[in-house]
Structure formats: structure tokens, C-alpha cells
Amino acid sequence: MTTASPERGMRTFAQVLVNTAVANVTTSYLWFALTFWVYLETRSVLATGIVGGAYMLLVAVFSILFGTIVDRHRKQHVMMLASLLTLAAFSIAGVLYLIFPEEALLDLGGPMFWIFAGIILFGAVVENLRNIALSTTVTLLVPVERHANANGLVGTVQGLAFIVTSVFSGLSIGLLGMGWTLVIAIVLTGLAAFHLLLLRIPEELPERDASASAVDLRGSIAAIRQAPGLFALIIFSTFNNLIGGVYLALMDPYGLELFAVELWGIVLGVASTGFIIGGLVVAKFGLGKNPIRTMLILVAVMGLLGATFTLREWWLLYAAGIWAYMALIPAVEASEQTVIQKIVPFARQGRVFGFAQALESAAAPITAFLIAPVAQFLIIPYMASEAGSATWGWLLGDGSARGIALVFLISGLIMVGLALGAFLTRSYRLLSDEYRGSATDAVMTIR
């Protein structure tokens, strides 16, 4: 099912992981900065929701294509392509910033805002091509018994990246402005691409399937159908992204109501140490005998956190809730990756990871696009009224962001119900048996 890990494979994997971390930091740094900049200049929840939702929607649209590209080419070449496309996009955005005044770039009714944001969006979306390739390098370079631990390291590095991104995006917009933020992003993206040229990832040229299309949806579905319950695993993973769409639209506006932009970035950075702790726990102890069960339990806990960390407009409650939520993310993501790496052949893992990312990412923009206008025009005004305060004040207290708190409460409780209900499904039992090796071995012979 998997390729043999080359000698010194873990060392090579570590270099690839660090390089990807630098690239992801830079992409997230500019993307977070754009979100902060847009909200602070426009005070529009709708704008941030649309921008954030568009990112996740495009990830969903292109992920199957990205997965096909990963399976058909050497992983290092795929990563270099992603780096160069991102560098080109950020450079074009920098030129537009020099040519047009900020007033034009921030005019939500004009074309330049959407062109400027869309180009940065493209650069950020392309970076996901590299992330799919990274997931397959675990199988390529790491012994199978260390897959869960390697996936935990991925979560740890993502946590470090999130800390740097959160802190420096807020500080960069608050102290330097959008122009210098673009310059920093362009330089760091170029350095990551140069470092990637110096790496050597041992891999044979993948075999080509002449019958497969450029976007091999058929091959992705075929691989998934061969594994009992694998499609259900992907559906289970979307539960996390459902509430993620709410956070995508509303977390930054809520935080920026409580903190200045510079301080909000620092709070996010400190809270995201939870990523590191969670990733290190997985790297040290793994995911238990049944990663699927682990994932569903943690998703239910995440929903409970989302329902409670804005019950009062207390900055400490919000920060602690974000920390705990982020501490669970590495285990949830590593659970899915570990199962796929075990039961799907290496030659098709890119397409399966791409399909999974497409489906899971689609959940977030759906909720983001839905929640942003509903919150902006209905829930927030309702909670600011006497009727809303009288109805919900006993539970949510008083404050300027009680409308957002009500959205978090309802979405979190829905998440808990979905995760617990998944335990009762036949797909959960089939997939658990397959992972433990008690089901048929047919999946091990996928070609």
C-alpha cells in the first residue's frame, strides 16, 4: 500500500515541514492582515465574511485539481509550482497597491477592492497545493508506525505558524500598514521558494493513467469507494468545518470589538499556543487505537467550547476558549490524515486528500456566506434591541457583541449534536473495523 521510507526519511521530512511552515506563515500573514485591514477600514462584517468565505470556497473548488496534480508529479516539483504562483500573485498585488490609492482598494462597491483581494486570495489558495503534497510526503518519507506522530508534528508546526501570523499580522497592519505588509510577504515567499530549490525529496516519477482526466474526480471517488466507510470519515471531518465557517466570518469582528488590532493579534498568537500543545501531545502519544472515535469525541468538545466561550463579553473567557479549541485541532486533523494514509495507496492519496479538502472546505464558505449577512442585518440588530436583551440577557449578558455570541452558541450546540449522532451510524462501525484490520483486505489492493 505504501512506499518504503527512504534512509534518513524523517530528516528530509523535517526539512520539508519547516519549508512548508515558512510558506504557510507568509501566506496566512498576508491573508490575516487583509482581513484585519478590511474590517478596520470598513467595519463591515459582511465584507470580512465574503472575503473569508470566498477563500474557503475556492479551496473547495480547486482541491480535486490540486490532488490530481500531486499524484501525477513529483512532490518537490508540485511544491515549487505552488511557491512560484503564490510569489507571482503577491507581487501583482503589491504593484496594484502602488498604483491605486487606498480609497479605491477599500471601496466595496468598486472593482479594485475585489481585484486586489482576489489576487491575494489566489496566492493563498494555491498554497493549499503544497499542503496536499505535504500530507503525501508523510507516506513517502515516514515509517507507517510513525504516521500519527508525524501528523502531530504537522499540527505543531501549524500552531507555530499561527502564532507568528496572528501576532505579526495585527502588529503589521497597526504599525506598518498594508503596503509594508505586502513587501514582507513578497520577500518571505521568495526566500521559501529559494530554499525549496536546495532540498532533495527522493521519489520515483509517478506512473501516468492515460484514461484519467485533468481533474480526476472519477479516480478520487474510486479510491474512496474501495474503503468501507471512508466517505463517512470525510463527512465526519466536515463537522469541524461547519462551525469553522461561523468562526471564519465572526471571530475576528468579535475579537476586534474586545481588543485593539495590535492587541488582538497578540491575543490570537498567545491563544494559538494551543496548536503547539495539541500537536505535541499527538506527536508524543499518537491518537489511540481508534482515531475515528478520537476525532468525533474531540469535535463534540469543540462544539461545546464554541457554544460557551462568548457567554459573557469577557476577554479572558474568549481567549481561553480559543486556546482550548485550537489545542484540539491538530488531533482532529491528524486523525483523518492517519486513517487515509493507512488505507489508501500512495499513488492515489493526493486525489483522496484533495477530495476530502474540497468537501470539508465547502462547509465553511456555506456557513460563512449564510451567517455573515444574517448576523449583520438580523441577529446583531435584534440583540441590540430591548426584545433581544430581555430574551437572551440572562444567558448571554450585556455587551456590544451579543449578537455574535448568540450565533456562536447556536452553531456550537448543533456541532455537538452532529458529532454525537455520528457514533450511531453504520459507517462509523465499518470504518473503525477497517482501520483495526478486522474488515476485508480488499482496500489494500487498490490500483
Side-chain angles (χ1 to χ4, degrees):
M1 182 189 71
T2 61
T3 59
S5 299
E7 190 175 348
R8 304 178 71 183
M10 282 297 293
R11 181 174 180 178
T12 303
F13 174 72
Q15 294 175 343
V16 173
L17 188 61
V18 171
N19 182 273
T20 301
V22 173
N24 285 350
V25 164
T26 305
T27 302
S28 298
Y29 162 75
L30 184 56
W31 186 245
F32 270 60
L34 177 68
T35 303
F36 293 165
W37 184 60
V38 170
Y39 182 75
L40 289 173
E41 297 295 334
T42 66
R43 293 291 172 178
S44 173
V45 171
L46 182 60
T48 57
I50 291 175
V51 169
Y55 169 79
M56 297 302 294
L57 182 62
L58 288 178
V59 169
V61 169
F62 286 103
S63 288
I64 296 176
L65 171 62
F66 290 167
T68 305
I69 292 172
V70 167
D71 280 344
R72 292 180 176 177
H73 299 86
R74 290 189 173 99
K75 307 307 174 275
Q76 185 168 2
H77 294 172
V78 171
M79 292 180 174
M80 181 56 67
L81 174 65
S83 291
L84 293 178
L85 289 176
T86 299
L87 178 61
F90 290 175
S91 299
I92 294 171
V95 171
L96 291 179
Y97 188 86
L98 289 175
I99 295 176
F100 294 93
E102 283 197 358
E103 292 78 9
L105 297 177
L106 287 166
D107 180 8
L108 302 182
M112 289 314 304
F113 169 78
W114 302 106
I115 293 174
F116 179 71
I119 290 172
I120 295 177
L121 172 67
F122 173 79
V125 168
V126 168
E127 186 62 30
N128 285 276
L129 177 59
R130 173 198 287 267
N131 293 333
I132 293 174
L134 177 65
S135 294
T136 65
T137 61
V138 173
T139 306
L140 181 67
L141 300 172
V142 180
V144 64
E145 66 273 9
R146 300 287 297 170
H147 281 183
N149 308 85
N151 290 324
L153 289 175
V154 172
T156 301
V157 170
Q158 289 174 340
L160 288 169
F162 199 89
I163 291 173
V164 174
T165 295
S166 302
V167 173
F168 285 97
S169 293
L171 291 175
S172 188
I173 291 298
L175 301 177
L176 300 177
M178 192 63 186
W180 281 108
T181 299
L182 280 163
V183 171
I184 294 170
I186 293 168
V187 171
L188 290 178
T189 302
L191 290 175
F194 177 74
H195 176 255
L196 187 60
L197 283 173
L198 305 179
L199 298 181
R200 291 294 179 268
I201 301 176
E203 180 187 5
E204 296 180 359
L205 184 66
E207 295 183 4
R208 297 294 182 92
D209 183 356
S211 64
S213 61
V215 181
D216 192 12
L217 178 61
R218 182 177 61 85
S220 302
I221 295 175
I224 292 169
R225 290 180 62 185
Q226 291 293 325
L230 183 55
F231 184 75
L233 171 69
I234 297 171
I235 295 297
F236 294 161
S237 299
T238 64
F239 294 167
N240 180 43
N241 286 50
L242 287 170
I243 196 171
V246 177
Y247 293 153
L248 186 70
L250 301 178
M251 180 175 281
D252 284 333
Y254 190 92
L256 291 170
E257 290 294 332
L258 298 182
F259 307 98
V261 62
E262 298 90 346
L263 187 56
W264 172 233
I266 294 173
V267 168
L268 268 182
V270 173
S272 59
T273 58
F275 258 127
I276 301 174
I277 301 301
L280 289 176
V281 169
V282 176
K284 177 66 175 178
F285 299 107
L287 297 163
K289 295 181 179 179
N290 188 346
I292 305 99
R293 179 179 60 195
T294 300
M295 180 181 70
L296 290 177
I297 291 173
L298 295 181
V299 168
V301 174
M302 293 168 91
L304 187 61
L305 286 170
T308 58
F309 72 168
T310 57
L311 288 180
R312 290 293 184 274
E313 204 161 294
W314 299 339
W315 72 267
L316 186 59
L317 176 64
Y318 192 50
I322 294 173
W323 185 93
Y325 180 88
M326 291 182 176
L328 301 179
I329 291 176
V332 172
E333 295 183 346
S335 296
E336 180 189 21
Q337 292 168 356
T338 301
V339 173
I340 292 175
Q341 287 157 356
K342 181 176 181 181
I343 67 177
V344 175
F346 176 72
R348 286 191 173 181
Q349 284 183 11
R351 279 165 285 185
V352 173
F353 277 120
F355 183 88
Q357 187 177 89
L359 198 61
E360 294 158 20
S361 299
I366 289 172
T367 49
F369 286 142
L370 177 65
I371 286 297
V374 170
Q376 178 83 27
F377 300 118
L378 295 178
I379 299 178
I380 292 176
Y382 166 70
M383 288 300 294
S385 68
E386 292 184 4
S389 179
T391 303
W392 296 98
W394 65 274
L395 179 60
L396 299 176
D398 299 319
S400 60
R402 295 302 81 204
I404 297 177
L406 180 59
V407 175
F408 283 155
L409 172 65
I410 296 173
S411 60
L413 293 177
I414 292 173
M415 172 74 70
V416 173
L418 288 173
L420 296 180
F423 279 107
L424 305 177
T425 64
R426 180 173 177 268
S427 294
Y428 167 74
R429 294 190 296 273
L430 282 173
L431 190 59
S432 296
D433 289 342
E434 174 63 32
Y435 184 82
R436 288 191 295 260
S438 58
T440 177
D441 290 332
V443 67
M444 307 295 287
T445 63
I446 302 175
R447 293 293 182 263

